[in-house]
Amino acid sequence: MSSATLAGLVGAALVGLGLYGVIADPQPLRKILAFNLIGSGVFLVFGIVARKGAAAGLSADPVPQAMVITGIVVAFAASALAVALTLRLFEETGRATLRPDAGTKPPDDGADAE
Amino acid sequence: MTEGASAFAATAGGSLLALPILVPAAGVLLSFLLGGRQAERIALALMPVQFGFAVAIASLIWRSGQPLVYVLGGYAPPLGIALRADGFSAVMLVTTSLIMPAAGLYARTNFATPNDGTERRAPLVFWTLLQAIQAALSLIFLGGDLFNLYVALELLTFAAAPLVCLDGRPETLAAALRYLMFALFGALFYLLGVALLYGAYGTLDIVLLSRQIRAEPAVWLAAGLMTAGLLAKTALFPLHLWLPPAHANAPAAASAVLSGLVVKGSFFLIVRLWFNVLPALPNAVPGAILAALGSAAILAGSALALRQERLKLLIAYSTVAQIGYLFLMFPLASGPWSAEAFSGGVMQALSHAFAKAAMFLSAGLIAESLGHDRIAGLGGAGRAMPVTFLALGLGGLSLMGLPPSGGFAAKWLLMKASIEAGQWVWAVVMLAGGLLAGGYLYRVLAPALSGNRPRLKSPPRRSRENVALALALAAVLLAFAPPTFFAFLQIGRPAAGAALR
Amino acid sequence: MSVLQALDVGLAFLVFAVAAWTVFAPGPFAATVGYVVYGLLLSLVWIRLFAVDVALTEAAIGSGVTGVLLIGAAARLRGAETTPAEEALTGLTRLFAAGLCLLVAAALAAVVLLLPDQGPTLAPQSMERLPETGLGNPVTAVLIAFRSFDTMLEKVVLVLGVVGVWSLAADRYWGGAPGEARAERPEPTLAFFAQVLAPIGILVGVHVFWVGADEPGGAFQGGAILAAMWMIVMMARLTEAPQASAFWLRLALIAGPAVFLAAGVAGAVVAGGFFAYPPGLAKPLILFIETFMTFTIAVTLPMLVAGPPRREPRR
Amino acid sequence: MSLALDLFSIAAISAGVFFFLAGTVGLLRFPDALSRLHALTKADNLGLGLIVLGLLPRAESLLAALMLVAIWALVQLAGATAAQLIGRAVRRKGPAI
């Protein structure tokens, strides 16, 4: 098995692990971590695609590599936004939760709480 | 790639395609740089420009009868990126460029910068992100490369999520965070599918891919992952949980854009995926699954809307239901009746965009005038603010699918297609959905139109009522779309029955 | 099995194990630390895939800057770790989730195994058109020339990220500075560290950016290193974050995408198409754009980590 | 000559790996934060130092050799700072960390 295929299998496993974390862990910060795992799994799939596209004297196809670099930066920005939201939520409520009914209070109640 | 050359001969006027993306993007940067009142000025000044671009693109397509193509940087696909506009893109562009200024005009009251010009948080963020949504949607409608469209999806997420929690109340923060999580999940699954497609074919250009796609495991998995991701962003049942709190808690002008336009962005990509990228896949089973989920969305969303106590939540749940209709086109849009089903689906997207924007703006006016939006407290409100409730009612007409309205035209076309295809079950669901919609609208309108006039905190401004009414009238007017309109929608659409090839 | 293969297998297991730790670790802080380790291991995997540009980006941004962001968040979230009972998933749901995830991972693994050893590639086309750009690093050429539209828009995404993070400020803090104020007496150890490291780091960052034209490196990686230096100086509280209303800061945040966009539009006037470079002038133009991009990344990443403004603006 | 250099490299790198191993075992087995720190510094200092020493004769150019030394020096700096900060945190908050 080539190291590229191996990396691809790790990527697949990371997507599965991350997905489990996203679904099963109720804490937003843990979900953000899990999202980053899925992200790196996806990037690894791009990585083996790039490696298997070695040609023309290059040891990997540059196009998917460029996409991964773009993806890593976007993933960081997404993490930053999610972290900022989580922290603000924690400051406002003393807890960080994604409970669905947290959003169903009428606005006048919310104004009182503030 | 010589055989592909013709697909990338940039058409005359093709360079026009870059402008509806670049101009609002420049607007975002300038608004953020100059800050203060400039953000609002730039956003409002660029809206007519955007409308001009959309109309110019549509008329070029109409005159040539061909899709417009533009190759960026002179690097033709598969190495570079192409932009393409077909009839469907043009129609969505025009719709966006009409709803955006409506939301903008309405929002001027809520997001005004104080007279001394001090920069305030909410106005700066709102006007900047409104332009970002415009740029992202333009790119979604025009993008011809699947990775470029991923960037567009992310742009849309980053522009839309902060709007949900603009007022900073804790429940809106939770709603925004949930929305962000679903959107990130959607974008990552979409991206995973993109990786697999590139691995299989070495290109991400939609036209080049569609020529090579074969039904093989990598393609099926990619299609499944990308569809699942896009469904999460479109909020199709059972991935709809994020939508009602997010759309119901955002400021009214933002809700109008989010519910009317933003969810259509990811829906548009699902259509692109199945009709433009994967026409070679046998789509009977996936189409039926999508339509079944759509049916469940119609029934569950409508039933939940019936039980809501707040007007904005009711309207948000009705979005969940109306999104369901969009997906009924998928099992019907291959075969001889395909044009009808496709037109019906597009018509539903357009009429819902106008109707839902009108309803959210009306609901915003009601909430501001009464100081609340509890349905139980709406008694007689219709007499106090008739124009607002007229806009709400006309929008509702379209949701129910009663004539004359764009919603009626959409549901009629879809129903006709489903009966011609012998797939009765979708028609039954549509009828049931229409009845349920009638039910939840009756709950709002019946008490509002009877009883004593309540005392208003402040009467709604006539100009803002007119904005909502204009949108609602647009939804009604769609019923009178001439046959040429439907012919226009077919421009650039891959031949029906490409699956049979 | 050769030594290298054995190392690959070991690395693969290690990455997987640390990833599993970040999902199942008992506390969020431990999980976050696990994630940083994971990011570093991952950059080794990228080197084994011969993607050195990606490895640098992963180490600098994926592990480094993201690590600072997440560890900071985990520290501030102490006290919120306990999950209320009503939010914990039932065993059955967990089982269902696990089944679903296994299914996705298995399907993905199967497809990955089915991919041909010599896959389709754009490497020849990239090399064929590389001379037009005057660059030697094909990955940089893809980012700044062949798919420059992606890259420009992704820079706009970063600006939106800052707008989104700032939008979470309380109204009274709008326009103020994020993070902590400059300390009268900075922590001596950290201050010494920052004073020694920052000049070296800035040199390295500029070097990585500059060689990116021909060798692994470039605007993203160099910018991330510069960003890290600014973050260290701020962490040592030798300096404080600028006010969100500062014009120069806004200008710095948009400079990269703005110059990129302007060059793209100028291409339509002088080179016959949006985002086209005039022949012969491609390389200087690309370096010009990249300079601004590097600078903007160096400013944007610390601002995203610093979070929303938390102090009242000074006039 | 080259044989001698090879032997030197092997010996130095093996010794470096040994210190890393010892440091890691210490990190895992030692009871409290301060003694774990003590174990880690051995890995940082000696382990990495010996590996860099072993790699020096194999460097392709003087620049590459200087880079190797610079890496070692930077890790020293970072390790010393981190150890200081952790040590201080332990003293302030007690060894429970």
Side-chain angles (χ1 to χ4, degrees):
Chain A
M1 192 188 300
S2 69
S3 57
T5 310
L6 195 63
L9 292 181
V10 173
L14 290 177
V15 171
L17 259 179
L19 188 58
Y20 181 78
V22 167
I23 299 175
D25 208 311
Q27 298 171 20
L29 186 69
R30 303 293 291 264
K31 279 190 201 283
I32 297 169
L33 281 172
F35 271 120
N36 276 299
L37 289 187
I38 302 184
S40 47
V42 173
F43 298 148
L44 277 182
V45 174
F46 271 106
I48 64 151
V49 165
R51 181 72 181 114
K52 293 193 170 190
L58 295 178
S59 37
D61 184 351
V63 175
Q65 291 186 57
M67 289 170 181
V68 172
I69 291 175
T70 302
I72 288 177
V73 179
V74 171
F76 165 73
S79 297
L81 187 56
V83 161
L85 265 169
T86 308
L87 288 176
R88 179 77 202 277
L89 191 61
F90 177 60
E91 278 165 17
E92 293 284 321
T93 62
R95 47 197 233 129
T97 174
L98 290 170
R99 282 243 311 282
D101 54 352
T104 51
K105 276 187 280 175
D108 29 4
D109 294 6
D112 296 343
E114 219 165 336
Chain B
M1 285 302 136
T2 42
E3 56 128 14
S6 65
F8 304 111
T11 47
S15 58
L16 204 52
L17 297 185
L19 292 174
I21 305 158
L22 294 179
V23 169
V28 168
L29 300 178
L30 267 183
S31 301
F32 181 59
L33 175 68
L34 301 176
R37 191 175 297 145
Q38 305 309 325
E40 177 183 348
R41 289 193 180 137
I42 295 169
L44 290 173
L46 289 183
M47 280 169 180
V49 178
Q50 204 67 16
F51 177 71
F53 292 149
V55 170
I57 289 171
S59 65
L60 278 177
I61 296 174
W62 174 244
R63 257 186 282 156
S64 67
Q66 294 289 326
L68 282 186
V69 183
Y70 186 66
V71 169
L72 285 158
Y75 298 101
L79 187 59
I81 297 171
L83 300 174
R84 274 192 208 87
D86 54 14
F88 188 19
S89 326
V91 166
M92 293 306 289
L93 272 182
V94 173
T95 304
T96 306
S97 70
L98 286 173
I99 292 177
M100 280 288 177
L105 288 177
Y106 176 96
R108 290 188 67 182
T109 320
N110 308 90
F111 297 106
T113 304
N115 278 335
D116 61 357
T118 333
E119 182 177 286
R120 287 289 154 82
R121 182 185 62 91
L124 181 83
V125 173
F126 177 81
W127 295 110
T128 308
L129 295 186
L130 199 63
Q131 297 174 74
I133 288 182
Q134 174 90 65
L137 285 174
S138 296
L139 183 59
I140 283 180
F141 300 144
L142 299 173
D145 178 280
L146 293 181
F147 185 79
N148 198 229
L149 288 171
Y150 160 76
V151 179
L153 274 176
E154 293 287 20
L155 265 176
L156 196 57
T157 302
F158 278 79
L163 287 181
V164 169
C165 58
L166 211 47
D167 65 2
R169 283 179 289 121
E171 62 266 31
T172 68
L173 292 168
L177 190 53
R178 278 169 76 76
Y179 175 33
L180 186 63
M181 298 270 176
F182 271 88
L184 291 181
F185 161 82
L188 282 175
F189 266 45
Y190 174 86
L191 188 62
L192 186 52
V194 169
L196 294 177
L197 287 181
Y198 187 90
Y201 302 108
T203 178
L204 292 173
D205 183 78
I206 289 177
V207 170
L208 290 182
L209 268 179
S210 69
R211 291 184 187 153
Q212 301 180 45
I213 292 269
R214 280 170 294 117
E216 55 181 328
V219 173
W220 278 113
L221 185 61
L225 292 167
M226 292 167 87
T227 309
L230 291 169
L231 290 182
K233 290 201 76 149
T234 317
L236 182 64
F237 182 90
L239 298 171
H240 65 285
L241 291 172
W242 62 266
L243 185 142
H247 287 190
N249 282 313
S255 299
V257 172
L258 293 174
S259 229
L261 294 173
V262 170
V263 288
K264 306 298 187 309
S266 41
F267 165 73
F268 184 91
L269 288 186
I270 299 176
V271 175
R272 270 276 180 273
L273 181 67
W274 285 97
F275 291 98
N276 293 74
V277 183
L278 305 169
L281 281 195
N283 55 14
V285 175
I289 293 174
L290 286 177
L293 291 176
S295 305
I298 294 172
L299 300 176
S302 306
L304 286 166
L306 268 173
R307 292 174 40 201
Q308 296 309 312
E309 277 156 23
R310 278 181 51 207
L311 181 57
K312 282 190 82 183
L313 266 173
L314 180 145
I315 300 176
Y317 272 104
S318 102
T319 296
V320 172
Q322 294 292 319
I323 286 169
Y325 286 97
L326 295 171
F327 288 87
L328 298 184
M329 71 188 264
F330 285 91
L332 303 171
S334 54
W337 47 83
S338 70
E340 238 164 32
F342 187 79
S343 302
V346 175
M347 186 53 104
Q348 167 69 11
L350 301 182
S351 62
H352 178 250
F354 284 110
K356 192 46 64 74
M359 293 177 81
F360 264 122
L361 294 188
S362 312
L365 289 176
I366 292 168
E368 279 178 33
S369 298
L370 294 178
H372 71 84
D373 72 338
R374 286 188 301 278
I375 293 169
L378 289 183
R383 297 179 166 194
M385 34 198 314
V387 180
T388 305
F389 274 85
L390 180 62
L392 189 70
L394 285 179
L397 194 71
S398 195
L399 296 198
M400 282 187 274
L402 289 183
S405 71
F408 167 72
K411 280 145 206 171
W412 174 253
L413 285 166
L414 284 169
M415 215 175 276
K416 236 173 103 195
S418 70
I419 289 170
E420 280 167 25
Q423 302 183 19
W424 291 85
V425 53
W426 315 130
V428 175
V429 170
M430 275 186 267
L431 283 176
L435 284 177
L436 287 168
Y440 60 69
L441 287 163
Y442 178 82
R443 273 191 63 210
V444 176
L445 293 178
L449 297 178
S450 57
N452 297 326
R453 296 166 62 132
R455 220 163 44 82
L456 299 183
K457 272 165 98 177
S458 60
R461 245 200 260 165
R462 179 49 59 88
S463 60
R464 302 177 82 199
E465 286 190 300
N466 286 344
V467 167
L469 187 61
L471 287 173
L473 284 174
V476 169
L477 280 177
L478 279 172
F480 305 102
T484 46
F485 174 77
F486 294 105
F488 181 74
L489 279 183
Q490 299 297 322
I491 295 178
R493 197 179 148 232
L500 309 174
R501 204 166 18 121
Chain C
M1 197 192 276
S2 75
V3 178
L4 217 48
Q5 272 177 323
L7 280 178
D8 278 343
V9 174
L11 186 59
F13 273 107
L14 206 55
V15 167
F16 181 76
V18 180
W21 168 261
T22 65
V23 173
F24 298 106
F29 197 81
T32 313
V33 173
Y35 178 77
V36 177
V37 177
Y38 162 82
L40 290 174
L41 290 171
L42 209 58
S43 36
L44 292 181
V45 176
W46 283 108
I47 289 178
R48 290 293 300 134
L49 289 170
F50 294 86
V52 185
D53 294 273
V54 181
L56 281 171
T57 315
E58 174 63 42
I61 300 180
S63 165
V65 185
T66 309
V68 176
L69 172 80
L70 293 173
I71 287 184
R76 286 181 58 194
L77 280 173
R78 287 206 165 161
E81 293 107 339
T82 46
T83 306
E86 76 261 33
E87 286 181 49
L89 295 184
T90 61
L92 196 67
T93 331
R94 273 175 193 282
L95 204 65
F96 178 73
L100 179 75
C101 300
L102 268 179
L103 194 73
V104 171
L108 195 55
V111 167
V112 163
L113 286 175
L114 283 175
L115 286 179
D117 264 346
Q118 184 58 58
T121 176
L122 291 175
Q125 283 99 321
S126 306
M127 290 312 276
E128 187 188 319
R129 303 206 61 174
L130 188 60
E132 291 169 31
T133 64
L135 300 170
N137 179 354
V139 178
T140 305
V142 174
L143 282 170
I144 316 286
F146 308 152
R147 299 187 64 100
S148 54
F149 197 51
D150 280 345
T151 312
M152 189 280 290
L153 289 169
E154 181 249 276
K155 288 283 150 310
V156 178
V157 169
L158 281 182
V159 174
L160 294 185
V162 174
V163 175
V165 167
W166 283 4
S167 81
L168 296 166
D171 275 327
R172 63 182 180 285
Y173 296 147
W174 181 256
E180 289 178 281
R182 181 169 178 272
E184 285 298 315
R185 252 182 243 173
E187 224 276 344
T189 322
L190 206 52
F192 173 74
F193 178 64
Q195 279 162 342
V196 174
L197 189 64
I200 304 174
I202 291 171
L203 208 63
V204 174
V206 173
H207 170 79
V208 168
F209 150 63
W210 187 252
V211 300
D214 297 312
E215 286 169 53
F220 290 94
Q221 299 90 341
I225 295 173
L226 293 178
M229 291 311 117
W230 193 23
M231 280 158 60
I232 285 172
V233 175
M234 280 199 283
M235 256 187 258
R237 300 180 67 183
L238 292 170
T239 178
E240 59 188 38
Q243 297 222 85
S245 57
F247 186 76
W248 74 263
L249 177 64
R250 301 263 177 105
L251 194 61
L253 287 168
I254 68 149
V259 168
F260 209 153
L261 200 151
V265 174
V269 183
V270 296
F274 286 106
F275 290 91
Y277 296 114
L281 275 177
K283 185 165 183 186
L285 204 52
I286 286 173
L287 284 178
F288 182 74
I289 296 169
E290 276 208 288
T291 309
F292 284 95
M293 271 178 38
T294 309
F295 179 60
T296 291
I297 290 171
V299 177
T300 307
L301 300 186
M303 285 296 112
L304 285 172
V305 172
R310 269 200 290 265
R311 279 179 285 147
E312 290 194 13
R314 283 174 279 113
R315 296 275 152 213
Chain D
M1 184 62 192
S2 85
L3 180 72
L5 276 182
D6 280 354
L7 282 177
F8 171 74
S9 285
I10 290 170
I13 292 173
S14 307
V17 169
F18 170 77
F19 277 105
F20 261 108
L21 206 65
T24 311
V25 170
L27 177 69
L28 293 174
R29 303 291 302 177
F30 280 171
D32 60 89
L34 287 180
S35 41
R36 285 180 186 174
L37 264 185
H38 164 79
L40 263 190
T41 47
K42 296 299 155 294
D44 265 8
N45 257 319
L46 275 168
L48 187 67
L50 284 168
I51 288 176
V52 166
L53 200 63
L55 289 176
L56 276 183
R58 316 182 78 79
E60 284 164 14
S61 63
L62 187 65
L63 190 67
L66 281 177
M67 276 181 175
L68 281 171
V69 176
I71 288 169
W72 177 74
L74 284 175
V75 171
Q76 287 304 294
L77 181 67
T81 309
Q84 273 281 338
L85 293 177
I86 294 174
R88 188 159 311 172
V90 169
R91 206 175 56 190
R92 212 170 37 221
K93 294 183 185 164
I97 295 178

